[in-house]
Amino acid sequence: MGSTRVVVVENDYGVGKTWFMQNSSAAGAPYGLVGALVSAGLDAMMNYGPSKRASQAADEIAVVMPVDTLNASLTGSLLALVPVDDSGAGVTFSEVTSVQRLAPATPEDDAIEVAATYWLSEDATTLMITITASYSSEEIPYVTPYTFEDSPPKAELSGPTYRNTFVYYSAHLPVPELTPELQQELIASIENSARDESGALPAEGTDEYRAMTRELEEARDNKLTRAEISIFLTREWLKDDGRLIRAEVDNAHALASRYLLLDLNQTAVPTFEGEGQELVETLPDGRTVSRISGGLMAGSYVSAPAEFSPHVAFGNAINHARVHLERMKTLRDAARSAR
């Protein structure tokens, strides 16, 4: 590969807020249409509040961390590794550009493509940043490095010459202690979240009212759910114009960029037969970088803080900021008009 250009595939979704979506369709299925309708009604009520709060959290984060800032940070981290003199041996970055790619497209030839996703956990304690990188070249077509008893599976017949994943978990924010004052804040937050654009609370008898009532009952049970915790911890990410989330994003990009370059200069082939993780580096602050030793993610890198909890949940649904969704619609409409 030698000196190779890098193409950043721009992120369009921003930081998504994950949450747990209820789905009781399986329970209602044995009861036919009536069961399906009842299940759908219950799910709508159960999911209304968490979904709306997740969207609000994504909207608030988008103010301090818009997609342009995310993309500029990733591009800057890769640019910092472009050598002044690229006459050295091995793989180096020759230049860094970016591309807008809302629709699927053929990877650029002889280029390292880098893309990133950003997810905030269900309780908002942890930000997970996943960076994927791949390299394709018509002159170096993919040839499987593995031996199979029968013919190779379809997935091993073609693909990029190189690909890998780099996962970064942020520092774990401490869960707040429930106090009477915090409980009152929680109740006020739930009510404010349920108000419409005119500031009115939902009318009695509506699904929105039933959803708000259910959340208020949970808020008064003297226990904090993950969804309730996220209300308070989202504020921590937003403090000081998003200082904390900016620092974690920049650190993730810098670390992933450095390990991408290191990995491109290694020739070891990951094996599916291994298990666990191999510790690669421990940073001064206790953060670790490990390499997955086996399975489908073999060869991938994972960076976690010293106090990382393996029980962090990222939910089964994700909501994104309206400003980013509207921006994507505008870009798609412009692309259609240009055809």
Side-chain angles (χ1 to χ4, degrees), residues 249-261:
V249 165
D250 289 345
N251 192 42
H253 289 163
L255 198 61
S257 298
R258 177 164 67 89
Y259 268 93
L260 168 59
L261 188 57

Side-chain angles (χ1 to χ4, degrees), residues 165-180:
T165 303
F166 306 81
V167 181
Y168 177 97
Y169 293 100
S170 73
H172 189 79
L173 297 186
V175 175
E177 180 182 353
L178 183 61
T179 63

Side-chain angles (χ1 to χ4, degrees), residues 74 77-78 81 93 114-116 129-133 162 165-168 249-263 289 301 303:
L74 179 55
S77 293
L78 291 162
L81 297 177
F93 299 155
V114 181
I129 300 173
T130 303
I131 295 176
T132 57
Y162 166 88
T165 303
F166 306 81
V167 181
Y168 177 97
V249 165
D250 289 345
N251 192 42
H253 289 163
L255 198 61
S257 298
R258 177 164 67 89
Y259 268 93
L260 168 59
L261 188 57
L262 289 170
D263 196 52
V289 179
Y301 291 84
S303 176

